[in-house]
Amino acid sequence: MRFSARLRPTRSHATRQPTSSGATNYDAFVSYSHAADGQLAPALQAGLQGLGKPWYRRRVLRVFRDKTSLSASPELWPSIERALAASRYFILLASPEAAHSHWVDQEVRWWLEHRSPATMLVGLTGGTLAWDGARHAFDPARTTALPPAAFAWPGDEPLWVDLRWAREARHVSLRDPRFREAVADLAAPVRDLPKDELIGEDIRQHRRTLRLARSWIALLLALVVLAGVLGNLARIQRDDARSQRNEAQAQARLALSRQLGAQAGAVRNERLDVALLLGLEAVRRQDTTEAKTALLTALHSNHALVTSLPRNTQPLGPDKDYGDALTFSLDGQTLAWASAGGVAILSVQGQRRTVLPSTTGVHGLSISPDGRILAWSGKRGISLWDLKRDRADGEPLKASRGTLFANIAFSRDGTKMAGITDKLIMIWDVQRRVPIGRPLRLVPATAAQQPAIAVSADLKLAASATDGSAIVLWDIDQHRRLGQIEARYKEPVSGLAFSPDGTTLASVSGKPPSAEGLGGSVIIWDLATLRPKGRSTSTLRSYTSVAFSPDGRQVAAGFITTRDIRGIDGGIQILDAQRPTSSRVLRALGEGSDPLVFSRRGKLLASLEGTTVTVWSLASRDRLAIPLPKRGKETLGVALTRDGRSFAYSTRSFDSDFRASPLTETIVTPGHTHVLRERSRPEAGEDLGSSAVDFSRDGQLLAFLDSRRGLRTWHTRTRTVTSKPLLGVTAASFSPTSSLLAAGRLDGSVIMVDGGSGQPVEGYVIPGASLLNSDDQPPRVIELVFTGDGRRLLIGSSDGLVREVDVLSHRILSKSSVHVAQDDALPISSMHFSPDGRYVAYGTQSQGDLGIYGYMYVYDLAHKQLIISHSGATTSLRFSFDGKMLASAGVNGTLSLWDVRRRQLIEESLYHAGAISDMAYDANHQLMVGADGTAVLLRAGIAAWREVACYVFNRNLTQDEWNQYLGPAQPYVRTCPNLPAGTGAPANAPAAEYSR
């Protein structure tokens, strides 16, 4: 194999031999055997090209090698011959394999014939070379590395270099001194430079390259450092810009949140639905104290309101109209009303709403007493629908042509049904679906307004209002007039209702909307004497409708009260049927309340108010409270599992004289009440009763203190109690990682208890400690809490000392005195730690001349400072699971809610009870409150508040409301994610996202 190189002399006097063409293309031609020197030849080529090469040049010699310089050609020798003719020097890599190569022999022969032997250099890579000085030729007998043509060598002995060692080397390069020496021996004549100068030049170039490389590296490093500095500055500027942008956005959200909170407060009395939705938007933008206060205040307004539903009131064609029809099923679970699309049916508990389409409009509505049949009247008669099977129940009941029943009613026993118009009353047999007798013809109605007509629950009596404010009574079965009541109203009679037993009639009057001014009356009539039993008159209300409660004790009267630039406003007046002057008012959401209908038990009242169907609760209730069964006279303690699925509260019952009365102690869990002790009278030393303390992490164990301050555990699955109590315990807390229970004692010490057996762990005692001198008795432990990993225990004592203890080693890690207020002489009555152990809340109280007084504090244990101070004695304190909120119960029974991070009061009266004794939080912001022998579960988190607010009004802001309060620049979202967009808003509007 071969290669050739061309030298670009570094000296000006370097000589070149001209080729036959007069041009020099290569500086050297190397002839070698592929089999023997296939690896050495490339290394030699690289060495010839790179020895003494400046860093900026590609090579110093141009080298020809068959594998790198010889192109594919059908004529191999002519190409080689042209390369030989273009080369100045010939380098032969001599070896036995080259000696037997035809091509090497032919190349040597050509060179000796056409060039001077002085330009032929030999590198011995194998075999032997022997020069015969007498013959001036190589000795054939002793030479094994030369081809035959070389034995005809003319002239003196040629220069040859021994490279046999290089063939065995794994890697050869100019970094190898021996190889560099050999390459210099061959390159020196080609480059017309002395060998030592050539090597020196290579060393100089190498050093120069190193210096340049180091310079470039230093420059690159400097540039990298500069780029890093500039990049860091850019990052800092970017972070500053982002921080400023985020701060500006946060300030904008904060400002909008406060603005919406203020707007919610401003419209709360007039538009409670809008106030609640604005409160939700305020909290969604930023859960500021103002926003949460606005939302909570709106939720606590108008407690009687259960839910409000939009009514479809789109106009229909001339053959499809609808009236103001509304009905409750007797079980109070189904509500139906007339709408533009047909009959809307709502499951009150599940909020499942369906619509039965009607092609002829809807006017009267009624549900049978057994809740199976829904009847509604249209222009083609009375249609019947089977609510159980969800299908039509036979053909519609027909009437004479042109008869449109404005109202329909089932009898109390469900066997008959009445269809009522302004002129007649028609009775049907429900089972046979045929009319009973002929219709009852009524006195013609006045043309001024729709007459008021009512039928009794047994469909035997009817009452109708006539001109002159008179009321006519009818016997439906006998088709005769029983008598007439001269009401002598100043205003037309607008509503009539029979009591459930049919002995009393309620009538209301009011000026019609077209008249000027207001005025009306509610009168309760005794039908036996046709004389009034009671009357309520108002010059500020015009009554429009009336209904009796199922027990006949209450009367609901709908009224309108405002006719000015704001339009028509109204409400519902609830009156005592025996004393109509005693009443309370439910504020309506629309234009008056007409009609009104009670649920079977009388706890719910539904009203139709223009475009809204509203359900009211007549029982005293709190939307955020879920009451639990009352099991005693006093509640002593409550406990709640982390997930909120299990709860427990302990109660005791006794007569007015506690010391001399029978005493019963109970533990109440879901679906079970366990009587712990029942005695004829308390024993000596018993004054505490049984107090629920804490659930284990898995909810399988409940720790509680009995009346002798004995710690016991309740197994929730087996419903068994450890028989032997551990006496002298004042506080206890379960470990979050095991069933171990830390128990604080009267002497201030803390022991560890096996929750399963209720027995102490042997040898585990943390001695008591005091802020006073060591001779004093240590104060009792009043609060214990484990940190989240269960490795540390925080112990709070009645003198304000807080100890942090390593659970495994019993070693006290730190001590803090939190009782740093100016009134620190008052004893601490209650204490609670935040779950992360950062904060401790405690309350003080004492008995003064004017009663019990005290203070509530929140102390930051991490920064050793007091962050909240509030006057008022407390009975219980509880942090939420995330430590962001604090619930405090005052001695007056008022429950307040605090924002711990912002150190502000959210709601001063979240709940009120007689005497709140204990509280417990779960991880879902549900707060259990024990008071008055029972407990309630309070929804004390934003997610629950949102759920209640969206349930109550069952709608989102309209586009006009959104633009008015939030502005058109704010993209519309569905504040209540599970409800459709409001009127005028895009149907595909995105759901609002709330932070957790």
Side-chain angles (χ1 to χ4, degrees), residues 645-689:
R645 295 181 179 179
S646 296
F647 61 81
Y649 57 99
S650 58
T651 65
R652 66 179 177 184
S653 301
F654 52 88
D655 294 337
S656 57
D657 185 357
F658 170 72
R659 293 298 175 189
S661 66
L663 182 65
T664 302
E665 299 175 34
T666 59
I667 288 285
V668 184
T669 57
H672 185 74
T673 300
H674 180 79
V675 178
L676 294 175
R677 302 190 74 181
E678 193 168 13
R679 303 177 301 289
S680 60
R681 61 181 298 171
E683 300 174 8
E686 292 187 334
D687 59 356
L688 174 69

Side-chain angles (χ1 to χ4, degrees), residues 885-963:
M885 290 193 289
L886 172 70
S888 65
V891 292
N892 60 354
T894 299
L895 178 63
S896 301
L897 197 62
W898 295 82
D899 187 324
V900 179
R901 292 179 303 172
R902 296 185 175 90
R903 310 177 185 184
Q904 292 178 324
L905 182 65
I906 298 175
E907 178 64 40
E908 190 170 10
S909 183
L910 179 67
Y911 182 74
H912 188 81
I916 298 176
S917 59
D918 195 15
M919 297 183 291
Y921 256 112
D922 69 8
N924 300 315
H925 286 91
Q926 185 173 231
L927 179 64
M928 188 174 186
V929 180
D932 305 326
T934 183
V936 296
L937 295 173
L938 288 179
R939 299 171 179 181
I942 294 176
W945 300 343
R946 180 178 73 248
E947 180 183 348
V948 173
C950 291
Y951 170 82
V952 169
F953 288 102
N954 204 41
R955 76 174 184 94
N956 276 302
L957 291 170
T958 66
Q959 186 67 60
D960 290 341
E961 291 168 344
W962 183 277
N963 294 341

Side-chain angles (χ1 to χ4, degrees), residues 13 94 119 169 176 188 237 269 278 410 413 470-471 475 610 623 689 705 707 729 737 744 751 814 838 873 973 993:
H13 61 273
T119 61
D176 187 334
Q237 292 176 350
N269 293 332
L278 291 179
F410 281 94
D413 58 9
I471 302 172
D475 184 321
R623 293 192 188 96
L705 302 179
S707 57
V729 176
T737 58
I751 62 174
S814 66
R838 177 176 178 178
V973 297
E993 296 182 0

Side-chain angles (χ1 to χ4, degrees), residues 314-506:
Q314 297 298 320
L316 303 174
D319 296 330
K320 297 180 182 180
D321 58 350
Y322 59 94
D324 290 335
L326 180 70
T327 185
F328 244 128
S329 62
L330 290 185
D331 61 4
Q333 299 304 307
T334 304
L335 180 67
W337 65 88
S339 69
V343 181
I345 303 175
L346 175 76
S347 172
V348 175
Q349 284 188 340
Q351 286 282 287
R352 182 176 60 85
R353 180 175 176 178
T354 57
V355 175
L356 302 179
S358 175
T359 59
T360 61
V362 178
H363 289 266
L365 271 175
S366 186
I367 297 178
S368 62
D370 60 5
R372 189 178 71 86
I373 301 297
L374 169 67
W376 74 86
S377 60
K379 291 189 175 181
R380 297 181 182 177
I382 299 176
S383 300
L384 303 176
W385 187 267
D386 191 323
L387 292 172
K388 304 296 184 183
R389 299 179 181 179
D390 199 25
R391 67 183 185 184
D393 189 14
E395 294 295 322
L397 304 180
K398 301 295 184 181
S400 58
R401 186 176 181 84
T403 301
L404 180 63
F405 297 104
N407 196 10
I408 54 178
F410 281 94
S411 63
R412 183 187 294 110
D413 58 9
T415 60
K416 296 185 291 183
M417 182 174 62
I420 304 168
T421 73
D422 59 343
K423 297 179 180 179
L424 59 84
I425 299 176
M426 189 172 182
I427 308 297
W428 278 271
D429 185 310
V430 175
Q431 185 67 29
R432 298 169 54 204
R433 307 293 170 89
V434 296
I436 300 176
R438 56 187 176 83
L440 170 66
R441 301 287 176 179
L442 303 175
V443 175
T446 176
Q449 67 181 87
Q450 188 74 15
I453 301 174
V455 294
S456 62
D458 55 7
L459 299 187
K460 292 183 178 181
L461 297 177
S464 63
T466 64
D467 295 333
S469 301
I471 302 172
V472 180
L473 296 177
W474 304 86
D475 184 321
I476 298 177
D477 291 339
Q478 300 298 323
H479 292 77
R480 64 186 181 89
R481 185 169 176 166
L482 295 176
Q484 180 170 309
I485 298 175
E486 297 296 337
R488 298 177 182 177
Y489 281 121
K490 296 180 180 179
E491 307 86 12
V493 175
S494 53
L496 295 170
F498 280 96
S499 63
D501 59 5
T503 62
T504 306
L505 178 71

